[in-house]
């Protein structure tokens, strides 16, 4: 039987979603039921209930996040960048369709404006209808602005308007995934992001996996290093991905290694941020950890 990534196959009386972990590695999830599926102009969208994980958003056959474990990815993506900035008021999120990244950003009481730009309205509408546990009403927060647009185009418009942000969070599909997000991992795009960041701005991006996709990951890392003075990598095991997801944190002036656990805990407390996983000790461990490369 030929099984391709993103395929749903029947084995015995089980419906399995086969997810691509690496070029030649698949992981199968037992599907209990499919709640929604549709083809948007950009990707194939599915919301399914899978054994052991609860509901999950699946794009082009790749699980983006699951009900039971999404906090691991979203807290690890958002809070290192947010605590690295001393007073994040304006935040830009590229991607983040489920609304969980937006939810985590809004936990910081310093935030006055959080703009989430996702290219696919059908993903956002599916999230509003099926993924309440992810966004938890973040879309309706008065500080939120949800823009349906290509992130590349939105950033071009910010450049023209001279609009600046304190923190930019890239929660896009993988750099080796669908074409629709690939251009946003380029050197020139990171340079444009630097231009719309405030003088002490901070950038973080999810960057897929440095073990299974070492070549693509290295390219993204080099592109960021060519633009930003301070760059740190970290990785967090994300159960529904089947690997440790890489993140790259960058800043013009703030050195991530200068922030200690007690500084992070103080900022979280001052800002009223409650988390399941992230705290100062977790931050220090992330920043110090060695990266596993393919
Ligand atoms: N957690 C996921 C991961 O680690 O792969 C990413 C989550 S989120 C669902 C990815 C989002 O990026 C999707 O909603 C997709 O529509 C959006 N996206 C992809 N390309 C984009 C682009 N060029 N501009 C804006 N959003 C984009």
């Amino acid at each position: 039987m030929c099984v391709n990534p993103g395929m749903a196959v029947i084995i015995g009386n089980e419906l399995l979603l086969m997810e691509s972990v690496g070029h030649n590695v698949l992981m199968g999830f037992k599907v209990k039921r499919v709640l929604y599926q549709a083809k948007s102009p950009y990707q194939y969208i599915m919301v399914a209930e899978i054994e052991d994980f609860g509901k999950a958003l699946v794009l082009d056959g790749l699980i983006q996040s699951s009900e039971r474990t999404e906090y691991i990815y979203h807290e690890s993506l958002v809070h290192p960048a947010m605590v690295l900035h001393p007073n994040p008021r304006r935040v830009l999120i590229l991607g983040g369709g489920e609304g969980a990244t937006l939810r985590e950003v809004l936990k910081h009481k310093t935030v006055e404006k959080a703009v989430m730009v996702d290219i696919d309205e059908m993903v956002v509408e599916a999230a509003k209808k099926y993924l309440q546990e992810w966004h938890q009403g973040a879309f309706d927060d008065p500080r939120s602005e949800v823009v349906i647009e290509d992130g590349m185009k939105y950033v071009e418009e910010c450049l023209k308007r001279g609009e600046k942000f304190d923190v930019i969070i890239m929660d896009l599909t993988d750099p080796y995934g669908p074409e629709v997000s690939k251009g946003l991992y380029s050197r020139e795009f990171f340079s444009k992001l630097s231009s719309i960041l405030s003088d002490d701005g901070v950038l973080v991006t999810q960057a897929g996996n440095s073990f299974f996709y070492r070549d693509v990951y290295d390219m993204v890392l080099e592109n960021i290093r060519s633009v930003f003075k301070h760059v740190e990598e970290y990785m967090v095991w994300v159960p529904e991905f089947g690997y440790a997801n890489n993140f790259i944190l960058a800043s013009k002036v703030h050195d991530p290694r200068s922030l200690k656990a007690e500084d992070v805990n103080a900022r979280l407390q001052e800002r009223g941020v409650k988390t399941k996983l992230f705290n100062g000790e977790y931050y220090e461990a992330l920043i110090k950890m060695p990266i596993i490369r393919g």
Side-chain angles (χ1 to χ4, degrees):
M1 170 171 49
C2 169
V3 178
N4 298 317
M7 267 181 78
V9 294
I10 307 277
I11 296 181
N13 59 354
E14 299 279 10
L15 173 63
L16 293 183
L17 168 71
M18 300 309 292
E19 175 175 81
S20 172
V21 174
H23 292 291
N24 304 302
V25 179
L26 293 177
M27 187 159 86
F29 294 86
K30 289 183 183 173
V31 177
K32 289 174 76 173
R33 64 192 177 115
V34 176
L35 285 81
Y36 171 78
Q37 52 184 336
K39 182 86 180 67
S40 84
Y42 305 100
Q43 50 214 336
Y44 178 72
I45 308 165
M46 182 164 75
V47 177
E49 194 165 340
I50 53 181
E51 295 284 2
D52 298 343
F53 286 88
K55 286 186 286 187
L57 175 67
V58 185
L59 297 181
D60 286 341
L62 288 175
I63 293 182
Q64 302 297 304
S65 56
S66 85
E67 184 177 357
R68 184 171 166 211
T69 57
E70 58 82 15
Y71 70 95
I72 300 170
Y73 170 90
H74 290 106
E75 288 189 17
S76 303
L77 169 68
V78 170
H79 298 302
M82 290 296 285
V83 295
L84 180 58
H85 194 286
N87 184 27
R89 290 173 301 149
R90 292 175 47 81
V91 180
L92 173 62
I93 299 164
L94 299 178
E98 305 100 319
T101 297
L102 182 60
R103 173 197 79 209
E104 291 301 314
V105 164
L106 292 170
K107 286 183 178 177
H108 293 254
K109 297 288 176 278
T110 54
V111 173
E112 296 164 4
K113 180 85 173 174
V115 182
M116 177 188 128
V117 182
D118 200 297
I119 198 168
D120 199 331
E121 185 166 27
M122 289 176 69
V123 170
V124 176
E125 289 311 311
K128 285 179 181 174
K129 185 169 179 190
Y130 298 101
L131 306 181
Q132 170 67 24
E133 299 84 351
W134 278 248
H135 57 76
Q136 297 175 20
F139 293 128
D140 304 320
D141 188 299
R143 296 171 291 169
S144 298
E145 180 185 354
V146 179
V147 177
I148 301 299
E149 191 166 44
D150 185 335
M152 288 188 92
K153 194 159 166 280
Y154 186 83
V155 168
E156 289 293 348
E157 287 157 11
C158 288
L159 278 168
K160 286 181 195 138
R161 291 196 297 263
E163 195 166 349
K164 300 276 186 182
F165 294 92
D166 299 311
V167 176
I168 297 177
I169 299 171
M170 289 174 56
D171 182 15
L172 297 161
T173 38
D174 293 320
Y176 40 79
E179 283 305 316
V180 68
S181 62
K182 277 194 179 149
L184 287 80
Y185 292 97
S186 67
R187 184 187 309 261
E188 42 281 357
F189 189 68
F190 288 125
S191 179
K192 287 176 182 167
L193 292 184
S194 176
S195 305
I196 67 166
L197 273 170
S198 51
D199 291 345
D200 68 341
V202 177
L203 165 76
V204 66
T205 183
Q206 84 88 1
N209 179 260
S210 57
F211 178 78
F212 286 114
Y213 294 92
R214 168 80 189 261
D215 50 344
V216 174
Y217 174 79
D218 282 350
M219 175 207 62
V220 175
L221 179 62
E222 283 323 304
N223 289 347
I224 294 178
R225 279 188 172 145
S226 69
V227 174
F228 289 90
K229 181 181 177 194
H230 299 286
V231 178
E232 288 297 339
E233 309 164 75
Y234 58 96
M235 59 197 309
V236 176
W237 182 60
V238 179
E240 64 268 38
F241 292 175
Y243 55 67
N245 198 84
N246 287 79
F247 301 87
I248 303 172
L249 178 65
S251 177
K252 301 179 176 180
V253 299
H254 300 299
D255 176 0
R257 288 180 182 264
S258 67
L259 212 53
K260 300 300 170 220
E262 51 273 21
D263 309 320
V264 172
N265 287 329
R267 285 186 177 175
L268 292 174
Q269 190 171 15
E270 280 157 27
R271 301 177 191 178
V273 180
K274 297 277 179 280
T275 54
K276 287 185 178 173
L277 178 70
F278 183 84
N279 61 20
E281 291 69 24
Y282 185 70
Y283 172 87
E284 269 197 344
L286 289 180
I287 297 300
K288 287 179 180 165
M289 77 165 59
I291 298 299
I292 299 165
R293 304 175 202 276

